[in-house]
Amino acid sequence: SSMASSVSSLLSTWRCSSRSMWMKRLLPLSIRSASSQSSSLVQEVGEDKFRPAYAEKAEENVEIATVVYMGAQKCYVSLEREVKEGIYRPRLSFVSTKLLKSERLIVGDSVRVRCDKEYTRDMPGTVVQVASRRNVFQRVDSDGKPKLLASNLDQVIVCSSFGNPPFSSFVVDSVLSAACLSSIPAVVVLNKVDLCEHSKFDDIKSTYERSGFRIIGTSAKERLGINELHKLLSGKTSVLYGLSGAGKSSLLNALADLDISTRPVSQALRSGRHTTSSSVLYRLDAQTCVVDTPGVRSFRPMAGKNRLVEGFPDILAKAERCAAGRRCSHIHESVEDCFVMQSVADGSLPQSRYTSYAHLYFEQTS
């Protein structure tokens, strides 16, 4: 069929062209290649979720807290006791030397804080212990090393937009794959829907719903979809991730007329580093937390070539029927031997999803 010939032609171009030419001709995106290797950082939480290896001597003046912002040798935390009382202002805490040598704290971590005296801004406590993480959301940094973004999440909200910046299926698919690789549920939020035609939004929505993902259309300016987004976030710990300018902070501000710049954590951090340069956890209420992340220009998941397909559950479901089974790369084989390629050819697997998978595959070195 003409569609099968099209897939064969596309694959022939990938195989025969140099990597740079392939990226230039087929996927003109400002994504830079870097080496990557799979990394397993998820640790299950047991009955005693605090790791004995990092434990200090039992003390009466130790409180459980959540890291809301992480600096070089200090962080801000919200005390569990105060959250239950409706107090959300974060507390400055130093990180013990012992912990700094053995652990890298990130936003979302559950920790124990030692308070030697009255815990005030002028008399901060010290983080002495970190709990095992349910999960870790991460990406590859410019040096090809893991960049840990947030932990203990209930869901990842992939925020994209229309207008400026334009919608990029590759960036959305890259973030979705990182969430899937860490076994974290993910939802796509398309912001600025007031700037696009209904038919285009419907096409994108159909693509991701067919791939098993929920998609929500929003407009912070017109307040479209804000109630649906609020219900999605309620009672959960979520991370908002997307390109610079996609409107993540605007969406947060639109939720119940919140003003992120006036939230307690923002006020507490004003004397420190600029809050947009690092992840920050905001509490919308006692049960709802949202991690706002700095916008990025590109995103690459932590996965080698052998694990990459696990980040694409729709492709993984098709892969079981390939002639080579899980050993099939879905790139180097013939269309006749690869059920994934056949599915692209007959339209049962969206072309854009497969293109994103192929792009990421060629970026991997192992």
Side-chain angles (χ1 to χ4, degrees):
S1 67
S2 59
M3 193 63 182
S5 299
S6 175
V7 173
S8 297
S9 176
L10 183 63
L11 288 169
S12 177
T13 303
W14 283 337
R15 292 165 183 155
C16 298
S17 301
S18 66
R19 183 178 175 200
S20 60
M21 283 298 295
W22 173 81
M23 292 176 68
K24 181 178 179 181
R25 292 174 60 189
L26 298 180
L27 294 161
L29 299 169
S30 58
I31 308 296
R32 295 293 177 261
S33 172
S35 60
S36 172
Q37 58 183 9
S38 63
S39 174
S40 178
L41 296 177
V42 179
Q43 295 172 296
E44 297 297 330
V45 178
E47 291 183 4
D48 181 5
K49 63 180 182 177
F50 286 92
R51 303 176 188 137
Y54 307 136
E56 302 283 336
K57 293 181 179 180
E59 300 176 65
E60 294 181 359
N61 53 347
V62 171
E63 297 205 43
I64 296 176
T66 299
V67 176
V68 300
Y69 175 85
M70 188 65 210
Q73 293 183 324
K74 61 183 180 180
C75 63
Y76 282 86
V77 302
S78 59
L79 300 180
E80 185 178 281
R81 170 180 55 80
E82 291 189 337
V83 170
K84 291 179 179 179
E85 297 172 356
I87 302 173
Y88 304 145
R89 183 172 182 82
R91 302 279 196 162
L92 174 64
S93 293
F94 293 107
V95 183
S96 70
T97 303
K98 180 179 180 180
L99 194 56
L100 280 174
K101 292 180 179 179
S102 59
E103 190 77 7
R104 182 169 21 165
L105 294 184
I106 55 177
V107 170
D109 277 347
S110 180
V111 296
R112 280 179 173 166
V113 181
R114 185 179 64 228
C115 317
D116 292 330
K117 298 180 181 180
E118 185 180 357
Y119 198 3
T120 66
R121 184 178 179 84
D122 297 326
M123 191 62 67
T126 302
V127 176
V128 295
Q129 200 173 7
V130 60
S132 298
R133 295 162 178 153
R134 290 192 287 131
N135 51 49
V136 176
F137 183 58
Q138 59 183 330
R139 65 176 176 86
V140 177
D141 66 14
S142 58
D143 296 321
K145 297 179 181 180
K147 172 74 172 179
L148 309 186
L149 302 170
S151 67
N152 301 320
L153 300 168
D154 295 313
Q155 59 188 356
V156 173
I157 309 299
V158 186
C159 188
S160 188
S161 67
F162 297 101
N164 185 27
F167 173 77
S168 168
S169 59
F170 177 70
V171 173
V172 170
D173 291 340
S174 298
V175 182
L176 287 175
S177 67
C180 291
L181 285 163
S182 295
S183 301
I184 308 173
V187 178
V188 179
V189 170
L190 286 180
N191 194 28
K192 306 179 185 179
V193 291
D194 52 308
L195 301 180
C196 84
E197 297 179 357
H198 289 297
S199 59
K200 183 176 182 179
F201 172 77
D202 290 341
D203 288 344
I204 295 173
K205 183 177 181 180
S206 175
T207 293
Y208 286 100
E209 287 182 341
R210 286 168 56 199
S211 299
F213 297 101
R214 181 180 176 184
I215 187 165
I216 297 175
T218 63
S219 171
K221 180 179 179 181
E222 303 294 333
R223 297 194 61 81
L224 299 174
I226 299 303
N227 289 337
E228 187 177 2
L229 179 59
H230 185 273
K231 292 178 181 178
L232 175 68
L233 299 175
S234 182
K236 298 178 180 178
T237 298
S238 312
V239 61
L240 236 60
Y241 208 89
L243 291 176
S244 299
K248 299 184 301 297
S249 295
S250 296
L251 286 174
L252 287 176
N253 288 337
L255 290 168
D257 295 320
L258 293 175
D259 184 355
I260 290 300
S261 64
T262 66
R263 300 301 288 171
V265 65
S266 297
Q267 294 177 335
L269 295 175
R270 280 178 181 170
S271 59
R273 295 173 57 188
H274 199 283
T275 60
T276 57
S277 65
S278 300
S279 299
V280 181
L281 184 148
Y282 295 99
R283 284 193 178 275
L284 305 189
D285 56 52
Q287 286 78 39
T288 306
C289 300
V290 180
V291 179
D292 190 17
T293 57
V296 294
R297 288 176 293 179
S298 63
F299 185 99
R300 285 208 302 118
M302 281 294 304
K305 288 183 176 180
N306 293 334
R307 284 199 65 219
L308 179 61
V309 70
E310 297 174 22
F312 290 78
D314 46 344
I315 295 179
L316 183 62
K318 306 282 188 183
E320 301 298 333
R321 297 180 60 181
C322 292
R326 292 296 299 273
R327 293 182 289 106
C328 183
S329 68
H330 321 301
I331 298 292
H332 303 295
E333 295 75 17
S334 65
V335 176
E336 292 73 19
D337 292 332
C338 179
F339 189 70
V340 169
M341 296 182 198
Q342 295 171 26
S343 299
V344 177
D346 65 24
S348 60
L349 182 67
Q351 173 80 53
S352 62
R353 291 282 292 165
Y354 179 70
T355 301
S356 295
Y357 167 80
H359 189 173
L360 287 171
Y361 182 91
F362 279 104
E363 284 194 338
Q364 310 305 315
T365 59
S366 60

